[in-house]
Amino acid sequence: MSQENLHPTFDRILGRAEKEQLLQQNSKVIWMTGLSGSGKTTIAIALEQKLNEKGFLTQVLDGDNVRTGINNNLGFSVEDRTENIRRIAEVNKLFLHCGIITINCFVSPTIAIREQARAIIGASDFLEVFVNTPLEICEQRDVKGLYKKARAGEIKDFTGIDSPFEAPENPDIDVRTADISVDEAADQILQVILPQITRK
Ligand code: ADP
């Protein structure tokens, strides 16, 4: 007798629909792009808090939990940046199929890199959020002191200084943090995603 016949009701890995049903939510990938210090992680944390208060299960992915773990063997060469995003997108796909809403905080500086992520994840599940903060403001904030180091030549190929940032041409959400608070930014994203992640 084959394995299938032995366990007729347990013959496959449970699918996305069953997990979304269990969690009572529709999964989604929220992809935040923007300069270092633009506010991606700060807004993601505020957004995650709001979502969790409403009963949604989420996972924030950022450089801290990805580059130190699954991608700790990758640097910042063109090849490594591509591999970095490929792995991140594949991790997103796993969460997506587990019914979970992921919030990504990666500079992801080029259109090509973001298109690569969109292609792996699937366009209909991918929501692009441009954390649209002018370089001058990011540099004034200089949360991690990285701009100072980049200006001093201690860090090479730093996005916005000596490496380009290609702004999204048509983002799903454009968040202008120079004009609004962290709380308002999280609310702006929440308003757009709530109808998509709420089960009818
Ligand atoms: P990123 O993840 O994009 O590198 P961070 O979230 O680490 O950026 O840093 C953004 C910094 O800017 C934080 O110190 C945050 O408190 C500050 N900040 C000030 N105003 C805003 C705003 N309106 N939205 C987001 N962050 C803001």
Side-chain angles (χ1 to χ4, degrees):
M1 196 186 268
S2 74
Q3 281 300 110
E4 285 96 321
N5 291 339
L6 268 176
H7 303 289
T9 52
F10 301 105
D11 61 352
R12 62 183 181 86
I13 296 173
L14 288 178
R16 174 175 174 179
E18 287 139 322
K19 293 183 181 180
E20 288 180 324
Q21 169 72 21
L22 179 75
L23 294 170
Q24 283 299 297
Q25 65 185 36
N26 298 325
S27 53
K28 196 90 193 162
V29 170
I30 301 161
W31 191 277
M32 311 242 251
T33 176
L35 293 167
S36 174
S38 58
K40 300 180 294 298
T41 299
T42 307
I43 295 166
I45 290 167
L47 176 63
E48 174 167 68
Q49 193 66 44
K50 285 175 190 280
L51 286 169
N52 281 272
E53 278 163 16
K54 291 185 184 295
F56 292 99
L57 183 60
T58 52
Q59 175 68 53
V60 174
L61 295 168
D62 69 6
D64 287 345
N65 59 23
V66 171
R67 278 224 177 246
T68 57
I70 189 172
N71 286 357
N72 69 359
N73 61 332
L74 299 177
F76 292 88
S77 66
V78 174
E79 294 77 20
D80 279 7
R81 280 181 195 264
T82 303
E83 177 60 10
N84 181 45
I85 295 295
R86 189 191 69 77
R87 287 187 204 167
I88 291 166
E90 291 292 349
V91 168
N92 269 275
K93 228 162 91 175
L94 292 173
F95 278 112
L96 194 63
H97 288 270
C98 202
I100 293 167
I101 297 146
T102 55
I103 310 171
N104 292 271
C105 314
F106 301 101
V107 176
S108 42
T110 64
I111 291 172
I113 275 181
R114 296 189 297 269
E115 286 314 308
Q116 183 196 354
R118 190 195 302 273
I120 291 171
I121 290 159
S124 59
D125 291 315
F126 185 94
L127 202 90
E128 190 175 63
V129 179
F130 181 20
V131 183
N132 188 351
T133 308
L135 175 65
E136 304 77 65
I137 294 182
C138 298
E139 203 167 348
Q140 273 165 28
R141 290 178 184 162
D142 208 5
V143 199
K144 298 171 192 156
L146 296 175
Y147 284 98
K148 199 167 168 225
K149 285 189 179 162
R151 289 285 185 202
E154 290 166 32
I155 306 175
K156 292 266 169 266
D157 299 326
F158 194 73
T159 305
I161 306 295
D162 54 354
S163 182
F165 180 80
E166 298 171 0
E169 282 164 358
N170 194 18
D172 295 290
I173 312 176
D174 187 355
V175 181
R176 296 175 179 258
T177 75
D179 306 327
I180 58 175
S181 67
V182 173
D183 193 58
E184 288 169 327
D187 275 337
Q188 186 189 348
I189 301 169
L190 192 64
Q191 271 194 3
V192 176
I193 62 172
L194 259 187
Q196 303 184 34
I197 60 178
T198 303
R199 287 179 79 81
K200 303 263 156 33

